[in-house]
Each structure stands twice: as structure tokens, then as C-alpha cells.
Amino acid sequence: MPLHPEIARILAAMPAPPPGPLDPVALRAADETQVAPPEERLPLHAVEDTTARTASGEVPVRIYTPAEADAYGLLVYFHGGAFFLGSLETHDHVARSLAKETGLKVVSVGYRLAPEAAFPAGLDDCHAVVRWAAGENAGLAWDGTTLAVAGDSSGGNFAAAVAAKAHDDGFDRITHQILYYPSLDLDFDADRHASLRENAVGYGLETAGLKPFNAFYLDSGADPADPLVSPVKRADLTGLPPALVVTGQYDPMRDEGELYGERLRAAGVEATVSRYEGAGHGFVQHFSWIPEYHKVFEETRDFLGRR
């Protein structure tokens, strides 16, 4: 299937990026201009900004409650953005759709970003918020059943790393990991995965851009050989939570996500790998208004409901 025509039309109209080094402050500001005003956002029973007081420090979180209830299953969501972009605002619409479709209370994490916060600050924030969410002091009325972690792109990296870190620490309450086109291999040798060559140019995210976009994270102390930085490099995947791995046909990072799903299954972990045809990287964040891609939230609901 060719690139979806709506995605192709929008990509063709996008201006070329400015020359010179990447400016994280300017790129973040540009991202924020794309955020919908509050009155145009998907309505939910309640949306609350608060602070999670955790072992990692005070972490901003936004809590989405889809309906009134005495207790809730929880989904902790980590936004994408190459570890230096993204915020509670830029991914608000993703968290709202997750809450609406799954019926879970969603906790979106405003973790610290590179380069201002060196590795492993962001990962530590995400891990600590999951533990906080499951505790009584959080006041989230967790019902003790579903405790899912989810993320897109670099947020998918954090979701996989948090699931592994929690397992190693003996914290066995995470029930699912949901990875949307995850960035799982931060070794950007173009010969490492076929999709890095096949989808190198013309689909939005380009292979040549992966290294400079992730340089803020890597230069802050994140070693690509570390399985907490590149989760696909983890040697032993046994005992990890069941996974839903969503990829895009035209994403340069497609193959590392699908490889991770295959390795999970080989280790005896229930794993569903779902490739969305006609899509490139970032389609959950940028193109979930297209009906074919909004179905990712329905697939997430069904995956969570199977257990």
C-alpha cells in the first residue's frame, strides 16, 4: 500500500527544516503552536494537572478520568519526542483518546527532557510515577487490576525500559506494555535494520535525522549499548508483561519494533505486533484523526481487555 494520501499531501506541503544545528527550545515552541485550544479537545469526565511526589522527585502529571467510578484500572502514558521534545500539552489528545476508548484512568507523565536533564532523569521519572500511581498516596483509586504502561516513539522506549526495570526490581504489578512505533535501538547504523534503508527518505521522519534528533539524549550520558537505552538489546526478555507493539509501514524504525515483538514471543511473552499500512512514524500523534489510524485506540482497548 502506498503512503496514505492525506499523509502524503500534508508532508508535501511542509516546509524544509531550517539549516544548522537543532535548537531544542525553538523546536519545543513550534510544537506547542500545534496544540488545540481547550474548547476543541475531546471531553472527558475529569482532567486534572497535579504533581506526583516520587522517589525521583516531584513530577508533573495530568490525570484523565473517562467516567465516574469507585475504582479504576490505570494506564501510565509517556509521550514521544526524541527524548527532548513533547509535553503534557502536545500529546494531550493522545491521552484523552486512550482514556475515552479504554475506559482506564490515564496518567500522562511530564518527565524531564534532555539535554537539560541528563540520562537517566527522564527514565527515572517515568519509572517512579508508575510506582507512585500504584500506591495509596496517589489517590487514584486503582482497583488493583490493570496497570499498563504505554508510549509513542521515545515514549515507547521508556515504556519498554520501565517494564524491564520494574521486573528487575521485583515490582510485578505492571500488567501490559503498549509501544507505538517505539524507538528501541539507538544504534543508528543504517545497515542494522532493513527499514532504515527502505524508508530512509520521503516519509516524514528520515533515517539521516535519527542520530541528530537523538543526540541530545545520547550526549547526556545514554549509552546505546545499555538495554535501558536500547531495550531491543536486552538479553533476557522472559517474565516481561504482555506487549502490544504498533508499527508503521513506512517508518524507518519499523523493524526494531517488530524485532522486539518477535523476541518477546520467543521468550514466552504474549506479544501482538500490529503494522499499520500506509503510515509512517508518528501517526498516532499526528494522524489519528484519520479513521484508519484512530483504530489504534480500539486495538489498544481490545488488547487490554483480553487479560
Side-chain angles (χ1 to χ4, degrees):
M1 176 180 177
L3 190 66
H4 191 284
E6 281 297 308
I7 298 178
R9 180 183 63 80
I10 291 170
L11 291 181
M14 289 178 63
L22 298 174
D23 180 345
V25 175
L27 288 168
R28 290 171 191 155
D31 252 9
E32 296 291 333
T33 65
Q34 305 301 311
V35 174
E39 63 273 14
E40 295 180 7
R41 302 180 191 183
L42 179 68
L44 296 172
H45 174 70
V47 178
E48 175 192 5
D49 285 335
T50 189
T51 300
R53 290 172 173 81
T54 77
S56 185
E58 296 189 348
V59 184
V61 295
R62 182 169 292 174
I63 300 169
Y64 301 81
T65 305
E68 187 172 3
D70 293 330
Y72 301 88
L74 299 179
L75 185 153
V76 184
Y77 170 66
F78 314 128
H79 67 75
F83 307 98
F84 79 97
L85 285 172
S87 69
L88 297 177
E89 283 292 301
T90 60
H91 289 67
D92 177 83
H93 61 295
V94 178
R96 285 174 184 264
S97 293
L98 283 169
K100 179 75 171 180
E101 199 61 51
T102 67
L104 300 178
K105 181 175 285 191
V106 172
V107 180
S108 184
V109 183
Y111 58 84
R112 288 171 289 175
L113 301 173
E116 294 87 350
F119 173 83
L123 175 59
D124 284 349
D125 287 352
C126 293
H127 181 237
V129 169
V130 172
R131 286 177 169 262
W132 168 84
E136 292 183 4
N137 291 338
L140 299 180
W142 181 42
D143 63 11
T145 58
T146 299
L147 177 61
V149 292
D152 60 296
S153 192
S154 56
N157 174 297
F158 278 162
V162 164
K165 185 173 174 60
H167 173 71
D168 292 346
D169 291 347
F171 181 79
D172 60 359
R173 297 185 177 185
I174 297 175
T175 59
H176 307 76
Q177 52 179 320
I178 300 158
L179 316 178
Y180 300 131
Y181 38 83
S183 173
L184 299 177
D185 187 351
L186 271 67
D187 179 348
F188 296 117
D189 177 356
D191 292 326
R192 197 163 196 80
H193 304 289
S195 59
L196 290 168
R197 299 187 302 275
E198 294 169 5
N199 300 326
V201 177
Y203 302 111
L205 177 67
E206 301 196 342
T207 297
L210 292 175
K211 191 169 184 178
F213 262 83
N214 287 275
F216 296 113
Y217 189 53
L218 298 178
D219 291 348
S220 80
D223 179 358
D226 182 347
L228 290 178
V229 175
S230 297
V232 77
K233 296 181 184 294
R234 182 178 172 92
D236 183 5
L237 302 180
T238 58
L240 293 182
L244 171 63
V245 183
V246 170
T247 65
Q249 179 185 3
Y250 293 110
D251 185 354
M253 297 193 296
R254 179 195 69 209
D255 288 356
E256 63 201 69
E258 295 182 359
L259 173 62
Y260 188 65
E262 292 169 8
R263 292 198 58 233
L264 284 169
R265 286 197 292 256
V269 177
E270 177 189 342
T272 300
V273 177
S274 181
R275 181 188 293 187
Y276 279 67
E277 300 299 318
H281 191 77
F283 71 90
V284 174
Q285 180 190 1
H286 297 296
F287 297 109
S288 59
W289 52 271
I290 298 174
E292 296 96 307
Y293 303 133
H294 191 80
K295 289 180 180 178
V296 73
F297 300 114
E298 299 173 15
E299 184 172 20
T300 301
R301 174 202 65 204
D302 293 345
F303 169 72
L304 291 165
R306 283 205 299 268
R307 298 193 62 82

